[in-house]
Amino acid sequence: MTPPATARTTAPQILARCRDLVRPSLAEAVQRLHPWPAEMAAYSLGWSDVDGTPTPGSQGKGVRQALTVLCAEAAGAPGENAVVGAVAVELIHTFSLLHDDIMDGDETRRQRPAVWRAYGTGPAVLAGDALFAMAVQTLADSRNAHSAPAVRHLAGTLNDLVRGQAEDLLFESRPWTGPDAVQPHEYRSMADHKTGALLGCATGLGAVLAGAPVPTVNALARAGRHLGVAFQAVDDLLGIWGDPQVTGKPVHNDLRRLKKTYPVLAALSTDSPAARRLVALLTSDRPLDDTAARRAADLIEDAGGRSATLTEAHHHLESARDCLTSVPLVPMAVEEILTLVPFLIDRRM
């Protein structure tokens, strides 16, 4: 059994330990796919180039799979008990990215062509479907005594993901102002389902596979959902003010696409002079060029959208910490979970 790390272990060391634990089973699950979807999955995971050439060392941080392992340890079980859940979470996460990039029209992911641009839309959809199916099968075939409730937990997450994505797509057709405009609380609900659900699945699955009591499972799942909403808030900030070297996308990318993200909605909700000028820009018949996008970003900040989004992120971080202290957990594992939070939140802008 791999022992938990010591109290002074750094976040990169924690992530490396969990990746080393999960990677063999994750690779085995991908290899069980048809060779073509498996090649696209390996490309999406950063294991290979588009021609299938391996790219050693490029495997992502693996924060979600690490949370699954750490939450099993927090519930008092060996991390190995949660490996099958960590694999399922990573497969679902990859599936969601493949389909999201298609629906959002995002052409790049992690500073290289998205799978749909590299292989085609149809193949990317197929690869996503294959990953979805393999995630469920991986849990269902597990010899873990708690695999049945784990599958139910995953199924609930999948329904939440679909609901959140549906809400996000429907937001695109709603106006910027008036009674039908998207409100910040509606966006918060969407983020809870679309982004929070997957991180809540990661944390909750670890507890389920550890055989934890229901209150512990629920507390860890809620902590993960709060972390997910905080992550989405920061992602929204990056979509407007992000460093392209971090996001892999042009600066002001979300503004150019007129996405209804939290900073924009929070700014518009103020009914300030800056908000009114922002509405005029967003509802103009002209697409936002570089100058207009910079102006929009400035107006969002002037109207308080940026600060409101940071406040939102910090609120959910505190709520996550409250969840982790609401039930008895192994202190060392909780410390490691909190050590990983910067990898979700503190990204450069």
Side-chain angles (χ1 to χ4, degrees):
M1 181 181 76
T2 305
T6 66
R8 296 179 181 176
T9 303
T10 66
Q13 290 172 325
I14 296 168
L15 292 170
R17 173 174 74 85
C18 295
R19 279 198 308 268
D20 290 344
L21 183 62
V22 174
R23 175 65 183 266
S25 296
L26 180 59
E28 181 182 352
V30 171
Q31 289 166 5
R32 291 168 64 192
L33 300 172
H34 181 281
W36 196 26
E39 178 184 320
M40 288 182 276
Y43 173 80
S44 183
L45 286 161
W47 298 350
S48 66
D49 291 330
V50 71
D51 60 0
T53 303
T55 53
S58 179
Q59 53 185 330
K61 295 182 180 73
V63 174
R64 290 163 185 80
Q65 57 186 274
L67 286 173
T68 305
V69 171
L70 293 176
C71 284
E73 294 176 351
E80 286 83 351
N81 287 22
V83 165
V84 66
V87 170
V89 165
E90 196 65 26
L91 294 176
I92 291 297
H93 174 54
T94 307
F95 139 75
S96 69
L97 296 181
L98 291 179
H99 284 196
D100 282 359
D101 284 345
I102 294 169
M103 286 183 275
D104 293 343
D106 285 338
E107 298 190 356
T108 59
R109 168 73 60 180
R110 295 166 183 162
Q111 300 179 349
R112 61 180 186 166
V115 173
W116 71 274
R117 291 296 296 164
Y119 289 89
T121 301
V125 171
L126 180 65
D129 292 344
L131 289 165
F132 181 110
M134 184 54 67
V136 177
Q137 184 176 350
T138 296
L139 272 184
D141 290 347
S142 168
R143 295 181 181 179
N144 186 294
H146 308 286
S147 61
V151 170
R152 288 194 292 272
H153 190 84
L154 181 67
T157 296
L158 295 171
N159 279 320
D160 273 351
L161 285 173
V162 171
R163 175 178 172 176
Q165 184 64 29
E167 291 173 348
D168 195 23
L169 290 173
L170 287 169
F171 287 170
E172 295 179 4
S173 61
R174 291 173 61 179
W176 288 106
T177 60
D180 294 328
V182 180
Q183 299 301 315
H185 73 272
E186 293 179 282
Y187 186 86
R188 188 181 296 116
S189 174
M190 180 278 295
D192 177 64
H193 289 96
K194 181 179 176 180
T195 311
L198 188 54
L199 277 169
C201 181
T203 53
L205 266 183
V208 170
L209 292 166
V214 171
T216 301
V217 172
N218 290 342
L220 287 171
R222 286 197 306 272
R225 291 188 83 117
H226 282 299
L227 288 175
V229 178
F231 176 90
Q232 184 61 58
V234 174
D235 210 53
D236 289 347
L237 291 172
L238 289 170
I240 298 176
W241 295 282
D243 179 352
Q245 293 302 311
V246 173
T247 65
K249 299 172 183 177
V251 68
H252 302 142
N253 186 61
D254 282 356
L255 284 177
R256 286 192 182 85
R257 294 172 49 206
L258 299 178
K259 281 186 67 69
K260 295 181 175 69
T261 60
Y262 195 87
V264 182
L265 299 176
L268 294 178
S269 70
T270 65
D271 193 31
S272 62
R276 289 191 286 275
R277 289 194 291 272
L278 178 62
V279 169
L281 266 180
L282 296 175
T283 56
S284 170
D285 291 336
R286 297 179 179 179
L288 293 185
D289 58 17
D290 289 347
T291 300
R294 282 195 298 271
R295 178 62 177 151
D298 290 341
L299 290 170
I300 292 166
E301 186 155 15
D302 291 345
R306 185 169 184 165
S307 62
T309 306
L310 286 170
T311 299
E312 177 79 0
H314 287 295
H315 165 72
H316 285 283
L317 288 180
E318 289 304 314
S319 296
R321 291 188 178 96
D322 290 343
C323 291
L324 293 173
T325 59
S326 67
V327 292
L329 296 171
V330 176
M332 182 69 71
V334 172
E335 184 176 337
E336 292 186 356
I337 292 169
L338 294 175
T339 300
L340 294 186
V341 168
F343 276 80
L344 287 167
I345 305 304
D346 295 339
R347 292 171 286 162
R348 286 182 293 140
M349 284 185 281

mmCIF file of all heavy atoms in Angstrom, residues 4 14 49 70 78 80 96 123 135 151 179 199 232 250 271-272 285 288-289 302 304 307 313 319 330 333 335 338:
data_model
loop_
_atom_site.group_PDB
_atom_site.id
_atom_site.type_symbol
_atom_site.label_atom_id
_atom_site.label_comp_id
_atom_site.label_asym_id
_atom_site.label_seq_id
_atom_site.Cartn_x
_atom_site.Cartn_y
_atom_site.Cartn_z
ATOM 1 N N PRO A 4 0.339 7.524 2.845
ATOM 2 C CA PRO A 4 0.079 8.950 2.627
ATOM 3 C C PRO A 4 1.349 9.755 2.816
ATOM 4 O O PRO A 4 2.266 9.350 3.525
ATOM 5 C CB PRO A 4 -0.958 9.293 3.714
ATOM 6 C CG PRO A 4 -1.563 7.978 4.092
ATOM 7 C CD PRO A 4 -0.461 6.968 3.934
ATOM 8 N N ILE A 14 2.287 15.635 -3.988
ATOM 9 C CA ILE A 14 1.006 14.959 -3.770
ATOM 10 C C ILE A 14 0.406 14.522 -5.101
ATOM 11 O O ILE A 14 -0.052 13.382 -5.262
ATOM 12 C CB ILE A 14 0.031 15.891 -3.029
ATOM 13 C CG1 ILE A 14 0.555 16.221 -1.632
ATOM 14 C CG2 ILE A 14 -1.355 15.256 -2.934
ATOM 15 C CD1 ILE A 14 -0.206 17.355 -0.954
ATOM 16 N N ASP A 49 1.075 12.727 -29.443
ATOM 17 C CA ASP A 49 0.771 13.728 -30.463
ATOM 18 C C ASP A 49 -0.364 13.210 -31.335
ATOM 19 O O ASP A 49 -0.835 12.074 -31.177
ATOM 20 C CB ASP A 49 2.005 13.998 -31.320
ATOM 21 C CG ASP A 49 3.092 14.730 -30.544
ATOM 22 O OD1 ASP A 49 2.732 15.499 -29.631
ATOM 23 O OD2 ASP A 49 4.287 14.513 -30.841
ATOM 24 N N LEU A 70 -7.358 11.175 -2.362
ATOM 25 C CA LEU A 70 -7.192 11.829 -1.069
ATOM 26 C C LEU A 70 -8.466 11.764 -0.228
ATOM 27 O O LEU A 70 -8.396 11.662 1.007
ATOM 28 C CB LEU A 70 -6.782 13.285 -1.264
ATOM 29 C CG LEU A 70 -5.385 13.509 -1.862
ATOM 30 C CD1 LEU A 70 -5.144 14.990 -2.094
ATOM 31 C CD2 LEU A 70 -4.301 12.928 -0.971
ATOM 32 N N PRO A 78 -7.274 3.090 2.457
ATOM 33 C CA PRO A 78 -6.105 3.252 1.592
ATOM 34 C C PRO A 78 -6.496 3.929 0.283
ATOM 35 O O PRO A 78 -7.592 3.704 -0.244
ATOM 36 C CB PRO A 78 -5.634 1.805 1.344
ATOM 37 C CG PRO A 78 -6.288 0.988 2.400
ATOM 38 C CD PRO A 78 -7.585 1.664 2.724
ATOM 39 N N GLU A 80 -5.563 3.221 -2.564
ATOM 40 C CA GLU A 80 -5.769 2.214 -3.605
ATOM 41 C C GLU A 80 -7.244 1.853 -3.771
ATOM 42 O O GLU A 80 -7.676 1.475 -4.871
ATOM 43 C CB GLU A 80 -4.965 0.947 -3.288
ATOM 44 C CG GLU A 80 -3.468 1.073 -3.518
ATOM 45 C CD GLU A 80 -2.720 1.704 -2.363
ATOM 46 O OE1 GLU A 80 -3.374 2.218 -1.421
ATOM 47 O OE2 GLU A 80 -1.483 1.689 -2.392
ATOM 48 N N SER A 96 -15.970 15.139 -21.158
ATOM 49 C CA SER A 96 -16.667 16.419 -21.112
ATOM 50 C C SER A 96 -15.902 17.501 -21.868
ATOM 51 O O SER A 96 -16.506 18.357 -22.525
ATOM 52 C CB SER A 96 -16.901 16.846 -19.659
ATOM 53 O OG SER A 96 -15.690 17.189 -19.007
ATOM 54 N N PRO A 123 -15.349 12.081 -35.279
ATOM 55 C CA PRO A 123 -14.452 11.246 -34.475
ATOM 56 C C PRO A 123 -14.334 11.717 -33.024
ATOM 57 O O PRO A 123 -14.264 10.895 -32.102
ATOM 58 C CB PRO A 123 -13.117 11.367 -35.215
ATOM 59 C CG PRO A 123 -13.506 11.620 -36.635
ATOM 60 C CD PRO A 123 -14.720 12.483 -36.553
ATOM 61 N N ALA A 135 -15.956 4.798 -18.587
ATOM 62 C CA ALA A 135 -15.998 5.248 -17.194
ATOM 63 C C ALA A 135 -17.025 4.450 -16.400
ATOM 64 O O ALA A 135 -16.752 3.979 -15.282
ATOM 65 C CB ALA A 135 -16.317 6.734 -17.134
ATOM 66 N N VAL A 151 -21.411 3.529 -8.793
ATOM 67 C CA VAL A 151 -22.020 3.714 -10.113
ATOM 68 C C VAL A 151 -23.210 4.666 -10.017
ATOM 69 O O VAL A 151 -23.402 5.536 -10.875
ATOM 70 C CB VAL A 151 -22.449 2.359 -10.712
ATOM 71 C CG1 VAL A 151 -23.292 2.567 -11.971
ATOM 72 C CG2 VAL A 151 -21.234 1.508 -11.042
ATOM 73 N N PRO A 179 -36.285 41.326 -18.675
ATOM 74 C CA PRO A 179 -36.782 40.279 -17.768
ATOM 75 C C PRO A 179 -36.251 38.885 -18.099
ATOM 76 O O PRO A 179 -36.233 38.011 -17.229
ATOM 77 C CB PRO A 179 -38.302 40.349 -17.938
ATOM 78 C CG PRO A 179 -38.516 41.033 -19.255
ATOM 79 C CD PRO A 179 -37.385 41.983 -19.405
ATOM 80 N N LEU A 199 -16.282 17.874 -9.858
ATOM 81 C CA LEU A 199 -15.378 17.875 -8.712
ATOM 82 C C LEU A 199 -16.057 17.270 -7.488
ATOM 83 O O LEU A 199 -15.411 16.598 -6.674
ATOM 84 C CB LEU A 199 -14.907 19.295 -8.413
ATOM 85 C CG LEU A 199 -13.720 19.755 -9.261
ATOM 86 C CD1 LEU A 199 -13.486 21.246 -9.116
ATOM 87 C CD2 LEU A 199 -12.463 18.996 -8.884
ATOM 88 N N GLN A 232 -14.764 27.462 -11.524
ATOM 89 C CA GLN A 232 -15.439 28.072 -12.666
ATOM 90 C C GLN A 232 -15.355 29.589 -12.609
ATOM 91 O O GLN A 232 -15.177 30.246 -13.644
ATOM 92 C CB GLN A 232 -16.904 27.636 -12.704
ATOM 93 C CG GLN A 232 -17.675 28.151 -13.913
ATOM 94 C CD GLN A 232 -17.096 27.647 -15.217
ATOM 95 O OE1 GLN A 232 -17.009 26.445 -15.431
ATOM 96 N NE2 GLN A 232 -16.690 28.551 -16.102
ATOM 97 N N PRO A 250 -6.614 33.139 -26.945
ATOM 98 C CA PRO A 250 -6.326 34.574 -27.033
ATOM 99 C C PRO A 250 -6.910 35.335 -25.843
ATOM 100 O O PRO A 250 -7.928 34.934 -25.274
ATOM 101 C CB PRO A 250 -6.999 34.993 -28.347
ATOM 102 C CG PRO A 250 -7.199 33.729 -29.105
ATOM 103 C CD PRO A 250 -7.389 32.648 -28.098
ATOM 104 N N ASP A 271 -26.290 47.976 -12.621
ATOM 105 C CA ASP A 271 -27.008 49.124 -13.192
ATOM 106 C C ASP A 271 -26.234 50.423 -12.990
ATOM 107 O O ASP A 271 -26.809 51.480 -12.678
ATOM 108 C CB ASP A 271 -28.411 49.238 -12.580
ATOM 109 C CG ASP A 271 -29.300 50.205 -13.369
ATOM 110 O OD1 ASP A 271 -29.106 50.311 -14.598
ATOM 111 O OD2 ASP A 271 -30.160 50.852 -12.743
ATOM 112 N N SER A 272 -24.926 50.342 -13.147
ATOM 113 C CA SER A 272 -24.053 51.501 -13.008
ATOM 114 C C SER A 272 -23.814 52.130 -14.377
ATOM 115 O O SER A 272 -24.144 51.544 -15.405
ATOM 116 C CB SER A 272 -22.712 51.066 -12.412
ATOM 117 O OG SER A 272 -22.080 50.143 -13.288
ATOM 118 N N ASP A 285 -24.169 45.880 -33.212
ATOM 119 C CA ASP A 285 -24.177 44.970 -34.360
ATOM 120 C C ASP A 285 -22.761 44.583 -34.785
ATOM 121 O O ASP A 285 -22.568 43.612 -35.514
ATOM 122 C CB ASP A 285 -24.904 45.619 -35.548
ATOM 123 C CG ASP A 285 -26.398 45.767 -35.290
ATOM 124 O OD1 ASP A 285 -26.926 44.996 -34.466
ATOM 125 O OD2 ASP A 285 -27.019 46.666 -35.908
ATOM 126 N N LEU A 288 -16.853 42.390 -31.526
ATOM 127 C CA LEU A 288 -15.853 43.043 -30.677
ATOM 128 C C LEU A 288 -14.457 42.828 -31.255
ATOM 129 O O LEU A 288 -13.959 41.705 -31.280
ATOM 130 C CB LEU A 288 -15.915 42.474 -29.256
ATOM 131 C CG LEU A 288 -17.168 42.767 -28.425
ATOM 132 C CD1 LEU A 288 -16.983 42.236 -27.008
ATOM 133 C CD2 LEU A 288 -17.493 44.250 -28.397
ATOM 134 N N ASP A 289 -13.836 43.918 -31.727
ATOM 135 C CA ASP A 289 -12.443 43.822 -32.153
ATOM 136 C C ASP A 289 -11.560 43.990 -30.920
ATOM 137 O O ASP A 289 -12.044 44.084 -29.787
ATOM 138 C CB ASP A 289 -12.118 44.860 -33.230
ATOM 139 C CG ASP A 289 -12.391 46.289 -32.776
ATOM 140 O OD1 ASP A 289 -12.512 46.524 -31.556
ATOM 141 O OD2 ASP A 289 -12.482 47.181 -33.638
ATOM 142 N N ASP A 302 -14.704 48.172 -13.996
ATOM 143 C CA ASP A 302 -15.232 49.402 -13.400
ATOM 144 C C ASP A 302 -16.583 49.159 -12.720
ATOM 145 O O ASP A 302 -16.890 49.772 -11.687
ATOM 146 C CB ASP A 302 -15.391 50.489 -14.466
ATOM 147 C CG ASP A 302 -14.048 50.999 -14.993
ATOM 148 O OD1 ASP A 302 -13.024 50.723 -14.340
ATOM 149 O OD2 ASP A 302 -14.054 51.649 -16.051
ATOM 150 N N GLY A 304 -17.463 46.495 -11.276
ATOM 151 C CA GLY A 304 -17.314 45.585 -10.149
ATOM 152 C C GLY A 304 -17.405 44.111 -10.481
ATOM 153 O O GLY A 304 -17.429 43.267 -9.576
ATOM 154 N N SER A 307 -14.149 42.060 -9.247
ATOM 155 C CA SER A 307 -14.074 41.887 -7.797
ATOM 156 C C SER A 307 -15.195 40.994 -7.289
ATOM 157 O O SER A 307 -14.994 40.183 -6.363
ATOM 158 C CB SER A 307 -14.118 43.247 -7.099
ATOM 159 O OG SER A 307 -15.327 43.919 -7.373
ATOM 160 N N ALA A 313 -15.553 33.338 -5.765
ATOM 161 C CA ALA A 313 -14.609 32.222 -5.659
ATOM 162 C C ALA A 313 -14.195 31.998 -4.210
ATOM 163 O O ALA A 313 -14.195 30.850 -3.717
ATOM 164 C CB ALA A 313 -13.383 32.490 -6.530
ATOM 165 N N SER A 319 -16.628 27.819 1.956
ATOM 166 C CA SER A 319 -17.678 26.817 2.134
ATOM 167 C C SER A 319 -17.107 25.413 2.016
ATOM 168 O O SER A 319 -17.523 24.501 2.755
ATOM 169 C CB SER A 319 -18.791 27.029 1.099
ATOM 170 O OG SER A 319 -19.436 28.270 1.292
ATOM 171 N N VAL A 330 -9.528 12.167 8.429
ATOM 172 C CA VAL A 330 -8.112 12.022 8.759
ATOM 173 C C VAL A 330 -7.421 13.356 8.498
ATOM 174 O O VAL A 330 -7.406 13.838 7.355
ATOM 175 C CB VAL A 330 -7.476 10.903 7.914
ATOM 176 C CG1 VAL A 330 -5.975 10.818 8.179
ATOM 177 C CG2 VAL A 330 -8.153 9.564 8.206
ATOM 178 N N ALA A 333 -4.879 13.834 5.469
ATOM 179 C CA ALA A 333 -5.483 13.844 4.135
ATOM 180 C C ALA A 333 -6.182 15.167 3.862
ATOM 181 O O ALA A 333 -6.127 15.694 2.749
ATOM 182 C CB ALA A 333 -6.451 12.676 3.982
ATOM 183 N N GLU A 335 -5.343 18.023 5.094
ATOM 184 C CA GLU A 335 -4.281 18.990 4.838
ATOM 185 C C GLU A 335 -3.795 18.894 3.394
ATOM 186 O O GLU A 335 -3.529 19.905 2.738
ATOM 187 C CB GLU A 335 -3.120 18.747 5.799
ATOM 188 C CG GLU A 335 -1.993 19.764 5.667
ATOM 189 C CD GLU A 335 -0.893 19.544 6.699
ATOM 190 O OE1 GLU A 335 -1.174 18.936 7.736
ATOM 191 O OE2 GLU A 335 0.239 19.993 6.439
ATOM 192 N N LEU A 338 -6.353 20.473 1.014
ATOM 193 C CA LEU A 338 -6.246 21.927 1.035
ATOM 194 C C LEU A 338 -4.968 22.410 0.345
ATOM 195 O O LEU A 338 -4.941 23.507 -0.230
ATOM 196 C CB LEU A 338 -6.298 22.434 2.475
ATOM 197 C CG LEU A 338 -7.631 22.216 3.193
ATOM 198 C CD1 LEU A 338 -7.536 22.650 4.646
ATOM 199 C CD2 LEU A 338 -8.764 22.957 2.486
#
